[in-house]
Amino acid sequence: MRPMSALIKREYLEYRRAFLFAPCVLLAIFTAAALFAIVAGEAIFDLTARQLPSGVEIYQTCIGIVFVSWSAYLLIGLFFYYSDSFSADRRDNALLFWKSMPQSDLKILTSKALAGITIFLGLIFGFALLTAILVYLMLLIITAQHSLITAPGLIEAVWSFAEMGVVGAIYLVLTLLWHAPGLAWVAGLSTVFQRWSIPLAFLIPGTVILLEYINSIGGSTRPIADFLTWRIHGFPNKADALAILLGQAEGGALALVGLILADIDWLHMGIGLIFTAAIIYLASEYRRRRIDA
Amino acid sequence: MTDTAIIASARGLTKSFGRKDVLRGIDFTIPAGRIFGLLGQNGAGKTTTLNALLGLTDCSGQIEVLGLAPFRHRANLMNNVAFISDVASLPRFLKVRELFDLIDGIHPGFDREKAGELLQGTDVQPNLKIKTLSKGMLAQLHLAVVMAIDAKLLVLDEPTLGLDIPYRKRFYRRLIEDYMTEERTLLITTHQVDEIEFILTDIIFLHDGAVILDTSIEELGSIFTQLVVDPDAQAEAEKLEPIHTETRFGETVMVFKNVPSEKLAPFGRASTPSLSDLFVTLTQHQNTIPGDT
């Protein structure tokens, strides 16, 4: 356990710019932009108080948007992370240093894979919670400016924050696991092709889909394109989720957990994780046979 | 010598890259407590032999290090083997302190305190980034790292390449004074043969993927004799069948194998050839000593 923790910490030290410093900058930009909009902007509401959702509903919807946005950042960040980290040890001849340590190639690559779902996910979850707190503070400012919107009281806000925190954590973890095969795909390509992994990650399936489209002009189906589109689309159903958050459907925020769990195709989740494990194993076997940079 | 005292052994070790045979069935045994020099020209197979010993490449034939098959058990083997393959191979994104923390976490044989002590009095400070260190400082750091690992076998592949003379001398002095014990074995390859001659106890000469000499330094003097031939004794000396003859600064120098120096003394000044002279002699004329291993 100790070596794995040390190896994951090593990933943090090498990639903290993407998962700590860059989110800090993004959050600062978001805060500045939002405050500027609130203070200097003009109200364009054209709604009556009746039509508006309650303060709690607005707040939990905002937190939902925050988690979806940060999950997008996490996926993009991890895509670039895996496109680099699986071949990073080959830079500066460092591969031989890592091979002089009593850790197998499989364990080292596993630590890279786990870093995404532990420390980097944890950091982004922390940023999402921080953003949610900032959103509440902004709602308070808006409430002071416009009588139409009322921010939830502190106790209601804390409760919404806690509920949506649980929902958000589950959403982030499951989103990451759902998209793990795509991340493993670019990681595996990185192990072999290093920096070319990013264009290849799109070029290879793109070429397959193009051939499929050419072949389907006569009317046949396009199973690969359809499968990948469905896979990328993910879960849950956005309209259903929004209905729950805005109080238009039964159940509180925690009902979202049920919706997420119900919307996941668990068979495909399992197949995807097996595919991910297989890619990591094959990458480790390739790495085991590499000694040059 | 008992089996337990054998650190590494190879029998019929072969390796090919495409059609090129890099190792052609080499045999050797490395006992504990010795300092072995593995010498050979570029392309002789030194690095491939080291890679086979360290489990970095798979070879045909039999090879065992500390009772393990290196390629199959590299991670396990590295608990008791340390190596420096290139002074530039340390991970550059870490600080010195972070490097020690990392190795402390992943190598059970690493003594962090000792590594710190070994760097006292040097310019390598704990908070310095590795990428900012000079080549000499990198060599000091890497040496401190491997010396702080309680390994039975230390392998150094061109460890002082690119370093200036004072650093090179300090490097080897430190190695002998602070690292070597009766239980530890050192295997060094370098082109700067003269610099390590005084520390070696055994040598293995490789030429074109084959072992052309494998002997202890003590035995070397009784096997090979160099004779600076008196001008009038050249014809008589040639009757004793030198394995190599050359002219140096107007003097004729012959190298003999298995000819007692007393027998040669009447023909000139007899002495033990230096390793570099012997290396040149044997690599140029190895065909004249068939079967010598």
Side-chain angles (χ1 to χ4, degrees), chain B:
Chain B
M1 189 182 302
T2 63
D3 278 352
T4 53
I6 291 173
I7 292 291
S9 65
R11 295 286 170 270
L13 199 64
T14 56
K15 177 78 180 175
S16 301
F17 292 118
R19 288 183 183 173
K20 181 166 172 55
D21 294 330
V22 183
L23 298 180
R24 295 182 295 136
I26 67 172
D27 300 339
F28 59 82
T29 301
I30 299 176
R34 312 287 291 182
I35 303 177
F36 266 76
L38 184 63
L39 308 175
Q41 293 170 313
N42 289 335
K46 302 187 299 291
T47 299
T48 306
T49 305
L50 291 189
N51 288 341
L53 280 166
L54 296 168
L56 302 175
T57 190
D58 202 9
C59 290
S60 303
Q62 272 192 314
I63 183 160
E64 261 193 19
V65 180
L66 298 167
L68 296 170
F71 188 68
R72 186 181 285 259
H73 301 287
R74 180 195 58 78
N76 194 7
L77 185 66
M78 289 303 133
N79 282 308
N80 287 304
V81 177
F83 72 88
I84 298 180
S85 57
D86 187 317
V87 289
S89 74
L90 294 170
R92 292 164 61 85
F93 63 92
L94 293 172
K95 290 179 179 173
V96 173
R97 173 176 45 80
E98 291 168 343
L99 176 73
F100 287 176
D101 288 343
L102 172 72
I103 302 173
D104 195 29
I106 63 177
H107 202 310
F110 180 70
D111 185 340
R112 198 186 194 294
E113 221 167 274
K114 189 176 176 186
E117 284 169 14
L118 287 164
L119 285 179
Q120 277 173 9
T122 71
D123 294 331
V124 185
Q125 299 301 314
N127 280 321
L128 285 177
K129 277 242 177 194
I130 290 172
K131 67 180 170 192
T132 65
L133 301 181
S134 69
K135 196 148 192 175
M137 290 158 83
L138 274 174
Q140 285 176 325
L141 175 60
H142 210 156
L143 187 64
V145 166
V146 294
M147 283 171 64
I149 291 173
D150 186 19
K152 289 179 179 154
L153 173 65
L154 174 59
V155 177
L156 305 173
D157 184 9
E158 297 285 1
T160 57
L161 197 68
L163 298 181
D164 57 25
I165 294 171
Y167 268 121
R168 296 207 297 262
K169 288 199 177 299
R170 212 178 305 157
F171 183 94
Y172 287 117
R173 193 176 65 231
R174 190 133 218 201
L175 202 60
I176 298 306
E177 288 174 0
D178 297 341
Y179 186 78
M180 275 308 291
T181 63
E182 283 180 4
E183 293 81 36
R184 286 178 168 158
T185 303
L186 200 55
L187 180 59
I188 307 174
T189 72
T190 179
H191 285 103
Q192 288 142 346
V193 182
D194 295 332
E195 286 184 8
I196 62 164
E197 188 167 357
F198 74 102
I199 67 170
L200 296 181
T201 62
D202 298 82
I203 50 162
I204 297 174
F205 281 178
L206 281 179
H207 180 70
D208 200 16
V211 174
I212 57 171
L213 182 69
D214 180 357
T215 187
S216 68
I217 294 291
E218 303 101 74
E219 287 172 0
L220 201 64
S222 60
I223 300 171
F224 296 99
T225 308
Q226 178 177 276
L227 182 71
V228 181
V229 188
D230 292 340
D232 53 349
Q234 199 166 328
E236 288 299 309
E238 269 176 2
K239 286 179 186 169
L240 295 172
E241 297 180 350
I243 59 170
H244 180 61
T245 303
E246 66 176 21
T247 303
R248 286 185 210 156
F249 306 112
E251 291 182 316
T252 302
V253 180
M254 295 178 177
V255 178
F256 295 86
K257 187 189 172 198
N258 293 329
V259 180
S261 52
E262 309 85 64
K263 204 171 172 181
L264 295 168
F267 308 118
R269 298 191 307 277
S271 62
T272 302
S274 69
L275 274 188
S276 52
D277 287 340
L278 190 60
F279 176 66
V280 172
T281 298
L282 293 183
T283 51
Q284 285 183 355
H285 298 273
Q286 57 96 17
N287 288 337
T288 64
I289 46 170
D292 187 5
T293 57

Side-chain angles (χ1 to χ4, degrees), chain A residues 28 37 61 74 83 89 118 129 150 152 155 168 216 237 271:
Chain A
T61 304
L74 179 66
S83 73
D89 293 348
T118 53
L129 293 181
T150 310
I155 294 170
S216 68
N237 182 300
I271 292 169

Side-chain angles (χ1 to χ4, degrees), chain A:
Chain A
M1 195 61 197
R2 192 173 172 227
M4 187 55 83
S5 310
L7 288 170
I8 290 174
K9 187 183 172 192
R10 165 256 158 117
E11 294 302 312
Y12 163 74
L13 291 172
E14 193 168 4
Y15 293 96
R16 60 189 153 186
R17 273 181 291 188
F19 296 98
L20 183 62
F21 301 157
C24 279
V25 172
L26 274 180
L27 197 55
I29 292 170
F30 163 75
T31 308
L35 283 175
F36 181 77
I38 292 168
V39 173
E42 287 180 23
I44 52 166
F45 299 120
D46 192 20
L47 297 165
T48 62
R50 250 186 123 113
Q51 288 173 294
L52 277 174
S54 70
V56 170
E57 287 160 358
I58 289 175
Y59 184 44
Q60 63 190 20
T61 304
C62 286
I63 299 178
I65 294 167
V66 162
F67 271 105
V68 170
S69 305
W70 277 114
S71 76
Y73 179 85
L74 179 66
L75 286 175
I76 293 166
L78 286 178
F79 181 82
F80 284 100
Y81 163 69
Y82 286 120
S83 73
D84 185 71
S85 66
F86 269 53
S87 54
D89 293 348
R90 285 163 68 182
R91 272 200 297 267
D92 307 316
N93 218 16
L95 189 59
L96 289 172
F97 168 77
W98 294 107
K99 283 180 180 268
S100 74
M101 294 291 121
Q103 304 300 329
S104 67
D105 295 276
L106 180 60
K107 194 181 228 179
I108 287 177
L109 291 191
T110 303
S111 75
K112 290 172 188 289
L114 289 179
I117 203 165
T118 53
I119 196 154
F120 295 143
L121 184 138
L123 282 169
I124 296 303
F125 178 65
F127 278 107
L129 293 181
L130 197 58
T131 313
I133 293 169
L134 287 171
V135 165
Y136 180 63
L137 295 177
M138 285 168 197
L139 279 178
L140 288 177
I141 298 172
I142 294 170
T143 303
Q145 285 184 327
H146 307 284
S147 55
L148 265 178
I149 294 175
T150 310
L154 187 62
I155 294 170
E156 285 176 312
V158 169
W159 184 246
S160 289
F161 179 82
E163 278 189 327
M164 287 303 291
V166 171
V167 173
I170 291 168
Y171 175 72
L172 280 178
V173 171
L174 291 175
T175 297
L176 201 48
L177 293 178
W178 179 255
H179 291 289
L183 299 173
W185 166 245
V186 76
L189 289 171
S190 169
T191 311
V192 182
F193 301 107
Q194 294 174 277
R195 72 181 74 167
W196 292 100
S197 58
I198 294 176
L200 286 172
F202 295 106
L203 191 65
I204 294 170
T207 307
V208 172
I209 289 169
L210 183 67
L211 291 173
E212 200 178 46
Y213 265 83
I214 292 168
N215 190 46
S216 68
I217 290 170
S220 59
T221 56
R222 299 184 291 268
I224 297 173
D226 293 344
F227 174 74
L228 290 177
T229 307
W230 171 73
R231 251 301 184 167
I232 290 167
H233 187 259
F235 58 85
N237 182 300
K238 304 289 183 290
D240 292 348
L242 206 58
I244 291 174
L245 287 169
L246 293 173
Q248 295 160 359
E250 287 296 310
L254 286 177
L256 276 173
V257 175
L259 181 70
I260 290 169
L261 296 178
D263 278 359
I264 290 175
D265 186 326
W266 289 98
L267 176 66
H268 275 280
M269 175 78 99
I271 292 169
L273 292 177
I274 291 168
F275 174 82
T276 302
I279 291 276
I280 293 169
Y281 175 75
L282 290 173
S284 76
E285 283 299 305
Y286 179 83
R287 190 183 194 268
R288 197 158 83 90
R289 286 160 177 80
R290 289 235 38 141
I291 43 176
D292 58 328

